[in-house]
Amino acid sequence: MQIRAAVLEEFARPLVVQDVELDGPGPGEVLVRLAACGVCHTDLYTASGADPSGYAPTVLGHEGAGVVEDVGEGVTSVEPGDHVVTLFSPQCRECIHCLSDKTNICLAIRDQQNQGYLPDGSTRLNRDGERIRHFMGTSTFAEATVMPEIALAKVDPEAPLDVVCTLACGATTGIGAALYIAKVEPGSTCVVFGAGLVGLGAVAGCRLSGAERIVAVDLSEERLEHARGQGATDTMVGGPETVEAILEMTGGFGADYTFEATGIVGVMRQAVESARMGWGLCTIAGVAGKGEVLEVVPRFLITGRRIAGASFGGAKGRDRVPELVDRHLAGDLDLDSLVTRRVALDEVNDAFEAMERQEGIRTVITY
C-alpha cells in the first residue's frame, strides 16, 4: 500500500515528506493505521546526526497510537479494530528479561531492531524498490506502519489516541521512573530536574506515589507552571546554586528521590548531589549527547546515594501502558495538558524547530 511518510534522507537535513510503499504484515506482525504521533526529542537527536547508532534513509517517529488494520499469521493478542499504542520497548513475555521483575528491557528482537529491521531481518518500507529501514521498530511519522505484535499495547478504545500517544515514550518514561524504577514512597521528598514531557511525567508519578513534597526545577517559568499543574508543590529556576538551594530546603540532607530529565550531564551531576545522604536515589531518564560522560564524586556514593537509569521508565509496555491509559480515563493522570500543539505530517520540520526553541510540551502529528 502507498502511504505518506517523513523520511530522514540525510543527517542534519530536514525530513522529506513523500510517498513510500508499505508491505503488508508478515508472521507475528501487525499493520497499524496511525491516528497520531508525538514529536519526541529522540527523533530530533537521530535526525541531527548526534546519535552514533543512527542510520538513513529511515522513517522516523516512535510515539504513535492508532488502530489495527490487519494482522499477520500467528498474531493472537490484537485484531483489526483494536486501538493500540506503539512500543519502541517491546515485551515478548518470554525472554529472561521479560520473565524478571528487575528490568523492562526485552531481548527478543533487540539486535534486529537496533539495525532498523523487523525481527526477520527485513523491512516493510520501500521507495521505488529501495528498502527503507524502520526506526526504533516503529516508524510512526507515517500514515501507517507494520510492527511486531509484541511491540503494541492494546488500550481502551475510549481513550483519545492523539493524547495517549504520549504514553508511547515521554510520559511513560517519566511516570515510570517514579512508579517502577524509584518506587517513590508516600510522604517522601522528590526533586525533578527538567519540566518537559518526561519531567512532567515524573512529577505526576511522584504525586501518584503519595510524595509529600515535589520540587520541579527548570529554566522556563511556563514549564514550571505546567509542573504545578501536575502536582509540584515547589518550583525553582535552575542554575549553578541549585544543589545548595535544595540542601537548604531539606535540612541539609537532600531529597529522598531525585529525577533527571534534561539529558544534560551537568544537570545529572546536580541531581546526584541533591539526593539525600544515607539513602537518596537519583534516577536518570535524560539521554546525554554522543561521547558525554557523567562525573560523580565517589564520596556521594560512599555516603549512601544511589544512581539508577530509566529506559522507558522501567515499564513493561504491554502491561503498564494500558494501566496508565485507564488512570488517564479515570482522571488520575492529566495527559491532555501535555499536548500543546497538533500539526499535520507536512509540518514535522516546524515541530522540530519548535522543540529546539522549547516551545510548549509536546507537539503531536495527527493523521
Side-chain angles (χ1 to χ4, degrees):
M1 63 185 292
Q2 189 175 80
I3 60 170
R4 296 282 287 169
V7 181
L8 172 64
E9 300 280 10
E10 298 179 54
F11 295 120
R13 301 287 296 173
L15 304 188
V16 181
V17 179
Q18 59 191 272
D19 291 334
V20 301
E21 291 293 326
L22 178 67
D23 299 334
E29 297 172 0
V30 178
L31 171 63
V32 178
R33 178 68 63 173
L34 290 158
C37 179
V39 181
C40 177
H41 190 271
T42 303
D43 302 303
L44 177 60
Y45 178 62
T46 298
S48 71
D51 182 356
S53 62
Y55 43 79
T58 184
V59 174
L60 293 182
H62 64 286
E63 203 172 75
V67 180
V68 173
E69 192 164 287
D70 193 14
V71 300
E73 179 184 351
V75 172
T76 59
S77 64
V78 295
E79 60 185 21
D82 285 344
H83 288 211
V84 292
V85 169
T86 63
L87 301 172
F88 73 88
S89 181
Q91 182 188 359
C92 73
R93 295 176 172 154
E94 296 178 355
C95 73
I96 188 170
H97 279 189
C98 282
L99 294 176
S100 170
D101 60 4
K102 296 178 181 179
T103 182
N104 65 317
I105 300 177
C106 176
L107 301 174
I109 61 175
R110 189 172 180 83
D111 290 343
Q112 293 292 354
Q113 180 178 331
N114 286 345
Q115 297 177 60
Y117 301 113
L118 291 181
D120 67 356
S122 66
T123 81
R124 302 291 168 267
L125 294 162
N126 75 87
R127 176 186 52 202
D128 299 325
E130 175 193 12
R131 306 310 299 187
I132 299 174
R133 283 195 272 179
H134 300 257
F135 176 67
M136 297 179 71
T138 53
S139 288
T140 50
F141 283 174
E143 294 173 329
T145 189
V146 169
M147 295 181 54
E149 172 187 17
I150 63 173
L152 292 168
K154 180 180 175 181
V155 300
D156 191 321
E158 294 298 315
L161 294 173
D162 62 344
V163 173
V164 298
C165 66
T166 58
L167 291 169
C169 181
T172 297
T173 298
I175 297 165
L179 295 182
Y180 315 133
I181 297 292
K183 297 180 174 63
V184 170
E185 296 178 332
S188 58
T189 295
C190 304
V191 178
V192 179
F193 290 80
L197 181 57
V198 175
L200 293 174
V203 170
C206 293
R207 173 181 55 80
L208 291 173
S209 298
E212 181 176 339
R213 194 174 193 183
I214 305 169
V215 183
V217 182
D218 199 276
L219 299 178
S220 166
E221 289 286 2
E222 180 183 355
R223 289 191 169 191
L224 290 174
E225 183 62 33
H226 277 283
R228 285 187 281 271
Q230 292 294 333
T233 59
D234 303 84
T235 57
M236 181 187 307
V237 175
E241 309 302 321
T242 299
V243 174
E244 288 77 6
I246 291 170
L247 291 176
E248 184 176 346
M249 295 171 68
T250 55
F253 289 108
D256 300 304
Y257 303 94
T258 64
F259 299 87
E260 189 285 325
T262 70
I264 301 169
V265 292
V267 177
M268 293 178 185
R269 180 168 179 169
Q270 287 185 326
V272 173
E273 295 180 357
S274 298
R276 193 193 193 284
M277 180 179 67
W279 62 70
L281 174 62
C282 171
T283 302
I284 294 178
V287 178
K290 179 180 179 180
E292 293 187 304
V293 175
L294 170 60
E295 293 185 351
V296 177
V297 177
R299 175 176 58 83
F300 285 99
L301 305 181
I302 292 169
T303 51
R305 297 163 187 83
R306 297 164 295 145
I307 304 173
S311 174
F312 197 42
K316 294 180 184 289
R318 295 168 77 189
D319 295 338
R320 295 300 194 182
V321 168
E323 293 174 357
L324 295 177
V325 168
D326 290 344
R327 297 194 80 161
H328 169 65
L329 291 174
D332 296 334
L333 268 177
D334 172 21
L335 300 177
D336 295 274
S337 66
L338 302 178
V339 179
T340 49
R341 185 183 177 207
R342 290 173 175 82
V343 301
L345 180 62
D346 287 332
E347 299 173 84
V348 61
N349 292 305
D350 294 335
F352 276 166
E353 292 172 4
M355 181 183 299
E356 290 183 305
R357 295 191 297 267
Q358 296 191 343
E359 292 180 2
I361 303 302
R362 184 57 103 230
T363 296
V364 169
I365 297 169
T366 56
Y367 301 101

